[in-house]
Short mmCIF file of all heavy atoms in Angstrom, two decimals:
data_model
loop_
_atom_site.label_atom_id
_atom_site.label_comp_id
_atom_site.label_asym_id
_atom_site.label_seq_id
_atom_site.Cartn_x
_atom_site.Cartn_y
_atom_site.Cartn_z
N THR A 1117 2.43 16.49 -16.08
CA THR A 1117 1.26 17.31 -16.40
C THR A 1117 1.53 18.80 -16.20
O THR A 1117 0.66 19.62 -16.49
CB THR A 1117 0.05 16.90 -15.55
OG1 THR A 1117 0.38 17.01 -14.16
CG2 THR A 1117 -0.36 15.46 -15.85
N SER A 1118 2.72 19.15 -15.70
CA SER A 1118 3.08 20.56 -15.58
C SER A 1118 4.58 20.70 -15.81
O SER A 1118 5.31 19.72 -15.88
CB SER A 1118 2.69 21.12 -14.21
OG SER A 1118 3.65 20.77 -13.23
N THR A 1119 5.02 21.95 -15.92
CA THR A 1119 6.45 22.22 -16.16
C THR A 1119 7.26 22.32 -14.88
O THR A 1119 8.42 22.72 -14.91
CB THR A 1119 6.60 23.52 -16.97
OG1 THR A 1119 6.00 24.60 -16.24
CG2 THR A 1119 5.92 23.40 -18.34
N THR A 1120 6.67 21.96 -13.76
CA THR A 1120 7.39 21.98 -12.49
C THR A 1120 8.65 21.12 -12.57
O THR A 1120 8.59 19.98 -13.04
CB THR A 1120 6.49 21.45 -11.37
OG1 THR A 1120 5.31 22.25 -11.30
CG2 THR A 1120 7.21 21.48 -10.03
N ALA A 1121 9.77 21.66 -12.13
CA ALA A 1121 11.01 20.89 -12.13
C ALA A 1121 10.87 19.68 -11.22
O ALA A 1121 10.55 19.82 -10.04
CB ALA A 1121 12.17 21.76 -11.69
N SER A 1122 11.11 18.50 -11.79
CA SER A 1122 10.92 17.25 -11.04
C SER A 1122 11.97 16.25 -11.47
O SER A 1122 12.67 16.43 -12.48
CB SER A 1122 9.52 16.66 -11.31
OG SER A 1122 8.50 17.58 -11.01
N ILE A 1123 12.08 15.18 -10.71
CA ILE A 1123 12.87 14.01 -11.11
C ILE A 1123 11.99 12.78 -10.91
O ILE A 1123 11.41 12.59 -9.84
CB ILE A 1123 14.16 13.87 -10.30
CG1 ILE A 1123 15.12 15.04 -10.58
CG2 ILE A 1123 14.85 12.55 -10.62
CD1 ILE A 1123 16.41 14.99 -9.79
N TYR A 1124 11.87 11.96 -11.96
CA TYR A 1124 11.13 10.71 -11.90
C TYR A 1124 12.10 9.56 -12.12
O TYR A 1124 12.99 9.63 -12.97
CB TYR A 1124 10.05 10.66 -12.98
CG TYR A 1124 8.93 11.67 -12.82
CD1 TYR A 1124 9.03 12.92 -13.42
CD2 TYR A 1124 7.80 11.37 -12.08
CE1 TYR A 1124 8.01 13.85 -13.28
CE2 TYR A 1124 6.77 12.30 -11.94
CZ TYR A 1124 6.89 13.54 -12.54
OH TYR A 1124 5.88 14.46 -12.41
N LYS A 1125 11.89 8.50 -11.35
CA LYS A 1125 12.75 7.32 -11.42
C LYS A 1125 11.91 6.11 -11.82
O LYS A 1125 10.79 5.94 -11.35
CB LYS A 1125 13.41 7.07 -10.06
CG LYS A 1125 14.29 5.84 -9.99
CD LYS A 1125 14.90 5.70 -8.60
CE LYS A 1125 15.67 4.41 -8.41
NZ LYS A 1125 16.25 4.29 -7.06
N VAL A 1126 12.47 5.27 -12.70
CA VAL A 1126 11.76 4.09 -13.20
C VAL A 1126 12.70 2.89 -13.15
O VAL A 1126 13.88 2.98 -13.50
CB VAL A 1126 11.26 4.30 -14.64
CG1 VAL A 1126 10.64 3.01 -15.19
CG2 VAL A 1126 10.24 5.44 -14.70
N ARG A 1127 12.13 1.77 -12.73
CA ARG A 1127 12.81 0.48 -12.81
C ARG A 1127 11.88 -0.53 -13.45
O ARG A 1127 10.69 -0.55 -13.17
CB ARG A 1127 13.19 -0.01 -11.41
CG ARG A 1127 13.68 -1.47 -11.40
CD ARG A 1127 13.83 -1.99 -9.98
NE ARG A 1127 14.08 -3.43 -9.98
CZ ARG A 1127 13.47 -4.31 -9.20
NH1 ARG A 1127 12.55 -3.89 -8.33
NH2 ARG A 1127 13.74 -5.59 -9.27
N MET A 1128 12.41 -1.35 -14.36
CA MET A 1128 11.66 -2.50 -14.87
C MET A 1128 12.15 -3.73 -14.13
O MET A 1128 13.33 -4.08 -14.17
CB MET A 1128 11.86 -2.68 -16.38
CG MET A 1128 10.84 -3.64 -17.02
SD MET A 1128 11.13 -5.41 -16.73
CE MET A 1128 12.33 -5.77 -18.00
N ALA A 1129 11.24 -4.39 -13.40
CA ALA A 1129 11.58 -5.58 -12.62
C ALA A 1129 11.21 -6.81 -13.44
O ALA A 1129 10.02 -7.07 -13.67
CB ALA A 1129 10.84 -5.57 -11.30
N ASN A 1130 12.19 -7.55 -13.87
CA ASN A 1130 11.95 -8.72 -14.73
C ASN A 1130 11.69 -9.96 -13.88
O ASN A 1130 12.34 -11.00 -14.02
CB ASN A 1130 13.16 -8.94 -15.64
CG ASN A 1130 12.90 -10.02 -16.68
OD1 ASN A 1130 11.77 -10.18 -17.13
ND2 ASN A 1130 13.94 -10.74 -17.05
N VAL A 1131 10.71 -9.85 -12.98
CA VAL A 1131 10.37 -10.95 -12.08
C VAL A 1131 8.87 -10.92 -11.82
O VAL A 1131 8.18 -9.95 -12.14
CB VAL A 1131 11.12 -10.84 -10.73
CG1 VAL A 1131 12.62 -11.00 -10.91
CG2 VAL A 1131 10.80 -9.52 -10.04
N ASP A 1132 8.37 -11.98 -11.23
CA ASP A 1132 7.00 -12.01 -10.72
C ASP A 1132 6.91 -11.04 -9.55
O ASP A 1132 7.72 -11.09 -8.62
CB ASP A 1132 6.67 -13.44 -10.26
CG ASP A 1132 5.23 -13.63 -9.85
OD1 ASP A 1132 4.63 -12.70 -9.28
OD2 ASP A 1132 4.69 -14.73 -10.08
N ALA A 1133 5.93 -10.15 -9.59
CA ALA A 1133 5.80 -9.15 -8.53
C ALA A 1133 5.68 -9.79 -7.15
O ALA A 1133 6.11 -9.21 -6.15
CB ALA A 1133 4.59 -8.25 -8.81
N SER A 1134 5.11 -10.99 -7.08
CA SER A 1134 4.95 -11.66 -5.79
C SER A 1134 6.30 -11.93 -5.13
O SER A 1134 6.40 -11.93 -3.90
CB SER A 1134 4.18 -12.97 -5.96
OG SER A 1134 2.86 -12.74 -6.42
N SER A 1135 7.33 -12.14 -5.93
CA SER A 1135 8.65 -12.45 -5.38
C SER A 1135 9.27 -11.27 -4.66
O SER A 1135 10.22 -11.42 -3.90
CB SER A 1135 9.58 -12.94 -6.48
OG SER A 1135 9.92 -11.89 -7.37
N GLU A 1136 8.74 -10.06 -4.89
CA GLU A 1136 9.25 -8.88 -4.22
C GLU A 1136 8.25 -8.32 -3.21
O GLU A 1136 8.37 -7.18 -2.76
CB GLU A 1136 9.64 -7.81 -5.25
CG GLU A 1136 10.81 -8.25 -6.11
CD GLU A 1136 11.39 -7.13 -6.96
OE1 GLU A 1136 10.94 -5.97 -6.81
OE2 GLU A 1136 12.31 -7.42 -7.76
N GLY A 1137 7.25 -9.14 -2.85
CA GLY A 1137 6.33 -8.76 -1.79
C GLY A 1137 5.03 -8.14 -2.25
O GLY A 1137 4.23 -7.70 -1.42
N TYR A 1138 4.78 -8.12 -3.58
CA TYR A 1138 3.54 -7.55 -4.11
C TYR A 1138 2.67 -8.69 -4.62
O TYR A 1138 2.62 -8.96 -5.83
CB TYR A 1138 3.84 -6.54 -5.21
CG TYR A 1138 4.96 -5.58 -4.85
CD1 TYR A 1138 6.17 -5.57 -5.56
CD2 TYR A 1138 4.83 -4.68 -3.80
CE1 TYR A 1138 7.19 -4.70 -5.24
CE2 TYR A 1138 5.85 -3.80 -3.46
CZ TYR A 1138 7.03 -3.82 -4.18
OH TYR A 1138 8.05 -2.96 -3.85
N ASN A 1139 2.01 -9.37 -3.71
CA ASN A 1139 1.31 -10.62 -3.98
C ASN A 1139 0.26 -10.45 -5.07
O ASN A 1139 -0.75 -9.76 -4.89
CB ASN A 1139 0.66 -11.13 -2.70
CG ASN A 1139 0.15 -12.55 -2.82
OD1 ASN A 1139 -0.12 -13.04 -3.92
ND2 ASN A 1139 0.00 -13.23 -1.70
N ARG A 1140 0.45 -11.12 -6.19
CA ARG A 1140 -0.48 -10.98 -7.32
C ARG A 1140 -1.84 -11.61 -7.03
O ARG A 1140 -2.81 -11.32 -7.72
CB ARG A 1140 0.12 -11.61 -8.58
CG ARG A 1140 1.31 -10.87 -9.14
CD ARG A 1140 1.77 -11.42 -10.48
NE ARG A 1140 2.06 -12.84 -10.40
CZ ARG A 1140 1.30 -13.80 -10.92
NH1 ARG A 1140 0.16 -13.51 -11.53
NH2 ARG A 1140 1.65 -15.08 -10.80
N ASN A 1141 -1.89 -12.47 -6.04
CA ASN A 1141 -3.18 -13.07 -5.69
C ASN A 1141 -4.06 -12.12 -4.88
O ASN A 1141 -5.27 -12.36 -4.75
CB ASN A 1141 -2.96 -14.37 -4.90
CG ASN A 1141 -2.31 -15.44 -5.74
OD1 ASN A 1141 -2.64 -15.61 -6.91
ND2 ASN A 1141 -1.36 -16.17 -5.17
N ASN A 1142 -3.48 -11.08 -4.33
CA ASN A 1142 -4.25 -10.06 -3.61
C ASN A 1142 -4.66 -8.99 -4.60
O ASN A 1142 -3.89 -8.07 -4.90
CB ASN A 1142 -3.43 -9.45 -2.47
CG ASN A 1142 -3.11 -10.46 -1.39
OD1 ASN A 1142 -3.72 -11.52 -1.31
ND2 ASN A 1142 -2.14 -10.13 -0.55
N LYS A 1143 -5.85 -9.12 -5.13
CA LYS A 1143 -6.28 -8.23 -6.21
C LYS A 1143 -7.76 -7.90 -6.08
O LYS A 1143 -8.53 -8.67 -5.51
CB LYS A 1143 -6.00 -8.86 -7.57
CG LYS A 1143 -6.63 -10.21 -7.79
CD LYS A 1143 -6.15 -10.85 -9.10
CE LYS A 1143 -6.88 -12.15 -9.40
NZ LYS A 1143 -6.58 -13.21 -8.44
N ALA A 1144 -8.13 -6.74 -6.61
CA ALA A 1144 -9.53 -6.32 -6.58
C ALA A 1144 -10.37 -7.25 -7.43
O ALA A 1144 -9.87 -7.96 -8.30
CB ALA A 1144 -9.63 -4.88 -7.09
N SER A 1145 -11.68 -7.25 -7.18
CA SER A 1145 -12.59 -8.21 -7.83
C SER A 1145 -12.67 -8.02 -9.33
O SER A 1145 -13.03 -8.96 -10.05
CB SER A 1145 -13.98 -8.10 -7.21
OG SER A 1145 -14.51 -6.79 -7.40
N ASP A 1146 -12.34 -6.83 -9.83
CA ASP A 1146 -12.42 -6.61 -11.28
C ASP A 1146 -11.14 -6.99 -12.00
O ASP A 1146 -11.02 -6.79 -13.21
CB ASP A 1146 -12.79 -5.16 -11.59
CG ASP A 1146 -11.75 -4.17 -11.08
OD1 ASP A 1146 -11.01 -4.51 -10.14
OD2 ASP A 1146 -11.70 -3.05 -11.62
N ILE A 1147 -10.16 -7.53 -11.26
CA ILE A 1147 -8.91 -7.98 -11.86
C ILE A 1147 -8.88 -9.51 -11.87
O ILE A 1147 -9.03 -10.15 -10.83
CB ILE A 1147 -7.69 -7.45 -11.10
CG1 ILE A 1147 -7.62 -5.93 -11.19
CG2 ILE A 1147 -6.39 -8.06 -11.64
CD1 ILE A 1147 -6.48 -5.31 -10.41
N CYS A 1148 -8.66 -10.06 -13.06
CA CYS A 1148 -8.53 -11.51 -13.18
C CYS A 1148 -7.08 -11.95 -12.96
O CYS A 1148 -6.82 -12.91 -12.28
CB CYS A 1148 -9.00 -11.95 -14.57
SG CYS A 1148 -8.49 -13.60 -15.08
N GLU A 1149 -6.14 -11.18 -13.55
CA GLU A 1149 -4.74 -11.58 -13.48
C GLU A 1149 -3.85 -10.34 -13.52
O GLU A 1149 -4.14 -9.38 -14.22
CB GLU A 1149 -4.37 -12.51 -14.65
CG GLU A 1149 -2.95 -13.03 -14.61
CD GLU A 1149 -2.60 -13.91 -15.80
OE1 GLU A 1149 -3.42 -14.02 -16.73
OE2 GLU A 1149 -1.49 -14.48 -15.79
N VAL A 1150 -2.77 -10.40 -12.74
CA VAL A 1150 -1.71 -9.39 -12.78
C VAL A 1150 -0.52 -10.01 -13.51
O VAL A 1150 -0.16 -11.17 -13.25
CB VAL A 1150 -1.32 -8.95 -11.36
CG1 VAL A 1150 -0.17 -7.94 -11.40
CG2 VAL A 1150 -2.52 -8.36 -10.63
N ASN A 1151 0.07 -9.27 -14.41
CA ASN A 1151 1.18 -9.78 -15.23
C ASN A 1151 2.24 -10.49 -14.38
O ASN A 1151 2.84 -9.87 -13.50
CB ASN A 1151 1.81 -8.60 -15.98
CG ASN A 1151 2.93 -9.03 -16.92
OD1 ASN A 1151 3.15 -10.21 -17.14
ND2 ASN A 1151 3.62 -8.06 -17.48
N PRO A 1152 2.48 -11.78 -14.62
CA PRO A 1152 3.46 -12.51 -13.81
C PRO A 1152 4.89 -12.36 -14.30
O PRO A 1152 5.82 -12.80 -13.61
CB PRO A 1152 2.99 -13.96 -13.96
CG PRO A 1152 2.41 -14.02 -15.34
CD PRO A 1152 1.76 -12.68 -15.56
N SER A 1153 5.09 -11.76 -15.48
CA SER A 1153 6.42 -11.76 -16.10
C SER A 1153 7.28 -10.58 -15.68
O SER A 1153 8.50 -10.72 -15.52
CB SER A 1153 6.28 -11.77 -17.63
OG SER A 1153 5.59 -12.92 -18.06
N PHE A 1154 6.69 -9.42 -15.52
CA PHE A 1154 7.46 -8.23 -15.18
C PHE A 1154 6.52 -7.16 -14.67
O PHE A 1154 5.31 -7.21 -14.85
CB PHE A 1154 8.28 -7.71 -16.36
CG PHE A 1154 7.44 -7.18 -17.50
CD1 PHE A 1154 7.07 -5.84 -17.56
CD2 PHE A 1154 7.02 -8.02 -18.52
CE1 PHE A 1154 6.30 -5.35 -18.60
CE2 PHE A 1154 6.24 -7.54 -19.57
CZ PHE A 1154 5.88 -6.20 -19.61
N PHE A 1155 7.09 -6.16 -14.02
CA PHE A 1155 6.34 -4.97 -13.61
C PHE A 1155 7.32 -3.81 -13.54
O PHE A 1155 8.53 -3.98 -13.66
CB PHE A 1155 5.62 -5.19 -12.28
CG PHE A 1155 6.52 -5.36 -11.09
CD1 PHE A 1155 6.73 -4.34 -10.19
CD2 PHE A 1155 7.15 -6.58 -10.84
CE1 PHE A 1155 7.55 -4.49 -9.08
CE2 PHE A 1155 7.97 -6.75 -9.74
CZ PHE A 1155 8.17 -5.70 -8.85
N HIS A 1156 6.79 -2.60 -13.39
CA HIS A 1156 7.61 -1.40 -13.27
C HIS A 1156 7.42 -0.79 -11.88
O HIS A 1156 6.36 -0.93 -11.28
CB HIS A 1156 7.24 -0.36 -14.32
CG HIS A 1156 7.59 -0.76 -15.72
ND1 HIS A 1156 6.84 -1.66 -16.46
CD2 HIS A 1156 8.62 -0.38 -16.53
CE1 HIS A 1156 7.39 -1.82 -17.65
NE2 HIS A 1156 8.46 -1.06 -17.73
N ILE A 1157 8.46 -0.12 -11.43
CA ILE A 1157 8.34 0.72 -10.23
C ILE A 1157 8.66 2.14 -10.63
O ILE A 1157 9.71 2.41 -11.24
CB ILE A 1157 9.25 0.23 -9.10
CG1 ILE A 1157 8.75 -1.11 -8.57
CG2 ILE A 1157 9.31 1.25 -7.97
CD1 ILE A 1157 9.51 -1.66 -7.40
N MET A 1158 7.75 3.06 -10.31
CA MET A 1158 7.93 4.47 -10.67
C MET A 1158 7.80 5.33 -9.42
O MET A 1158 7.02 5.02 -8.52
CB MET A 1158 6.88 4.90 -11.70
CG MET A 1158 6.93 4.13 -13.00
SD MET A 1158 5.76 4.81 -14.21
CE MET A 1158 6.00 3.65 -15.56
N GLN A 1159 8.54 6.44 -9.42
CA GLN A 1159 8.43 7.38 -8.30
C GLN A 1159 8.95 8.74 -8.71
O GLN A 1159 9.96 8.86 -9.42
CB GLN A 1159 9.23 6.89 -7.09
CG GLN A 1159 9.09 7.79 -5.87
CD GLN A 1159 9.82 7.27 -4.65
OE1 GLN A 1159 10.57 6.30 -4.73
NE2 GLN A 1159 9.62 7.91 -3.51
N GLN A 1160 8.24 9.78 -8.29
CA GLN A 1160 8.77 11.13 -8.37
C GLN A 1160 9.65 11.32 -7.15
O GLN A 1160 9.17 11.35 -6.01
CB GLN A 1160 7.66 12.17 -8.40
CG GLN A 1160 8.19 13.59 -8.51
CD GLN A 1160 7.10 14.64 -8.44
OE1 GLN A 1160 5.92 14.33 -8.49
NE2 GLN A 1160 7.50 15.90 -8.30
N THR A 1161 10.94 11.44 -7.36
CA THR A 1161 11.89 11.48 -6.25
C THR A 1161 12.30 12.88 -5.86
O THR A 1161 12.96 13.07 -4.83
CB THR A 1161 13.16 10.67 -6.59
OG1 THR A 1161 13.76 11.23 -7.77
CG2 THR A 1161 12.81 9.20 -6.85
#
């Protein structure tokens, strides 16, 4: 959103998020399902 010099890192995890400690069953009431096939991890490093 700005021209500030930054570095962003992305990984696509081709696994169920629960297998890496992000339990898909722990979800807010407005969420029915979290994608079980893959997820991304992003960070401004």
Side-chain angles (χ1 to χ4, degrees):
T1117 58
S1118 81
T1119 58
T1120 302
S1122 304
I1123 294 178
Y1124 294 91
K1125 178 180 174 180
V1126 175
R1127 170 189 171 226
M1128 194 284 277
N1130 188 33
V1131 295
D1132 186 325
S1134 296
S1135 70
E1136 294 191 5
Y1138 314 115
N1139 191 337
R1140 292 187 304 107
N1141 293 320
N1142 294 344
K1143 56 188 186 293
S1145 60
D1146 62 336
I1147 296 178
C1148 164
E1149 183 182 7
V1150 178
N1151 183 8
S1153 300
F1154 66 91
F1155 67 102
H1156 292 78
I1157 291 184
M1158 300 185 183
Q1159 184 177 8
Q1160 181 184 349
T1161 59

